[in-house]
Amino acid sequence: MTTTRAVLARTALLVAILLTATTGCSGSDTTPEPPPASEPAGSTDGANAGADGGADAGTGGDGGTGEGADGGTGTGGERDDTGQVRWAGGVRLDVDTYQDLDDEPSGGRGSASSSEPATDLRVELSRLTFKPGAGAASWPGPPERPDRSTCSALLQPLSTQETVPLPDGTVWCFRTVQGRYGFLQVKRADLHALTLDVTVWEGTSG
């Protein structure tokens, strides 16, 4: 009986030892996972700063382009060309035609109808007749050729006339229907045509 108990006690002790050994081996084989590696603070900050700097540079480029385009457009729109010569030269205008003096007459034939809205005057045998809205004023000189400001001042309502006689050499300031100023000098008048020296300036203000 005593022997049996001793055998059982030894067996229990061996089993306990084996279980302890087995648990120890299993624990030693399990390697704990390392914590996730974190990026160095310096590299993250550097990347963010680089991205921000690139975005800022792009914004600056857009801003510069917009300002340049707007500035150029504004300056061009504000240019005042009043006083510059629109056209000048000698012209030969056929008698019994209507002429537009805002642009240089081509060939002198003009229009045969007074209903043409762009025309400024009618060429007749011994005179010019300006349409309503246009007109002329005699320039006695000197000098022989007035400038734009002189013609503008001369063409006041009380001094403007619509009918202009055509003795050779006379000089007349005129205003077109569109409001441009100019002057003409009579060079020659015959039964078929009138030869003039004409200058017309840009700008329709006074």
Side-chain angles (χ1 to χ4, degrees), residues 18-109:
L18 288 174
L19 288 175
T20 302
T22 302
T23 303
C25 292
S26 299
S28 61
D29 292 339
T30 304
T31 304
E33 295 182 3
S38 60
E39 295 182 5
S43 62
T44 304
D45 294 340
N48 292 339
D52 293 341
D56 291 341
T59 303
D62 293 342
T65 303
E67 290 173 4
D70 293 342
T73 303
T75 302
E78 294 171 1
R79 187 172 69 90
D80 184 5
D81 57 7
T82 298
Q84 293 186 0
V85 174
R86 181 176 177 85
W87 72 273
V91 293
R92 179 178 169 86
L93 307 178
D94 293 346
V95 171
D96 292 331
T97 60
Y98 291 86
Q99 301 288 338
D100 174 16
L101 297 182
D102 288 292
D103 296 301
E104 185 172 1
S106 176
R109 289 184 291 273

Side-chain angles (χ1 to χ4, degrees), residues 156-195:
Q156 301 302 315
L158 295 179
S159 61
T160 301
Q161 59 191 80
E162 293 183 354
T163 302
V164 174
L166 299 177
D168 292 353
T170 55
V171 178
W172 295 85
C173 288
F174 65 84
R175 181 180 59 249
T176 69
V177 172
Q178 294 186 27
R180 293 187 176 91
Y181 291 95
F183 74 87
L184 61 86
Q185 183 176 26
V186 181
K187 305 301 289 185
R188 181 183 178 188
D190 58 38
L191 297 177
H192 305 288
L194 174 66
T195 304

